[in-house]
Amino acid sequence: MKLERVEIVHVAIPLVTPFRTSFGTMTTKDTFLLHVVTDAGEGWSEFAADPEPLYCSEFVAGAEIVLRDFLLPRVAGLPGLTAAAVAPAVAKVKGHELAKAALETAVLDAELRSYGMPLAVYLGAVRERVPAGVSVGIKESLPALLDDVERYLAEGYVRIKLKIEPGWDVEPVRAVRERFGDGLPLQVDANTAYTLADADHLRRLDEFGLLLIEEPLEENNLYGHARLQGRLSTPVCLDESLHNARDTASAIAMDACRVVNVKPARVGGYLEARRVHDVAHAHGVPVWCGGMLETGIGRAPNLALAALPGFTLPGDTSASSRYFAADITEPFVLEDGHLPVPRTPGIGVEPLPEALRRFTLRREDLYVG
Ligand code: OSB
Ligand code: MG
């Protein structure tokens, strides 16, 4: 393929309800889509991070510069551009996995469309639908939390994840267990809010039979997570600390995690995400697909990945209605607790023109060949 044009489309879509985590509160999904035009067809992707570098070091305005000034110049001149050629071409640019993932995914979408191949088939999916969990933000009160969980369970979600932070951990978990029973698949996500000095406190979660505790300690503190795991019976799961398949291999070898959250954007794209899956699966470590409150453009390829054989736990791949009153693609609808894996070529979805117009703040060419 030859790259002809790359357009950045900044969008802002209101969330149906504010989403609070230990690092901040989101009320809109404010990001950009990448639209690549090649001589073989077009592709789309979504940048996963936010306007502020609170979940990770990348952010919307920074990623635009990185793409325009450092990533696109390195792939634009490739003779025979393919998705697999993107990561090697940009390898000398340090970090910026989420920006790299946006570029690789849009190229992959265009490439797979040109072959008529769905992403799920390309990745090696073994399922046509995937079980859906839901990530529940920090609330102002326990009754408000229980109402939310009750509503999600009534909609059919098969697993609940509670966001936690110091001061909102043992009591919300206890309240959810008391109300909904020990059979409910339940896990928590601290988004780096604790330190190893909190180990005795976190041990109090052990009595609730959680599936896992996600990223309790500082990002990249594999040693600390291994020390913590030695003191907890709840399996530690890493999110922020895993940036590639090598990190994942190290973390597993150190017993820094017994479960792996794969976010394709966080590891630089779907090709590396598949390698993360392969490493974890080969060690018998369960994998699940995380989320970044994506629109349908980011959700569709996550569902394809979540259909791989090692994804043995439900992911944060929730229905469009959990996030938005109106999505930017045809909505993903929960059916019997599952979402369908897209079956049409590439990522299998594209922006609906009317929705795209409504939510677009600015569009600009980042590259013209
Ligand atoms: O840590 O998994 C996380 C959302 C934004 C940033 C980080 C995280 C999350 C979620 C929500 O937990 C996942 C989703 O429903 O998309
Ligand atoms: Mg997380």
Side-chain angles (χ1 to χ4, degrees), residues 269-329:
Y270 288 85
L271 279 63
E272 187 70 7
R274 181 169 51 186
R275 290 188 280 267
V276 171
H277 158 274
D278 292 348
V279 164
H281 194 39
H283 285 85
V285 170
V287 180
W288 56 282
C289 185
M292 295 287 286
L293 312 179
E294 290 92 347
T295 77
I297 293 293
R299 187 163 316 282
N302 282 350
L303 290 167
L305 182 74
L308 266 61
F311 284 77
T312 54
L313 290 172
D316 282 345
T317 43
S318 310
S320 295
S321 63
R322 182 257 172 266
Y323 310 97
F324 312 110
D327 205 333
I328 213 159
T329 61

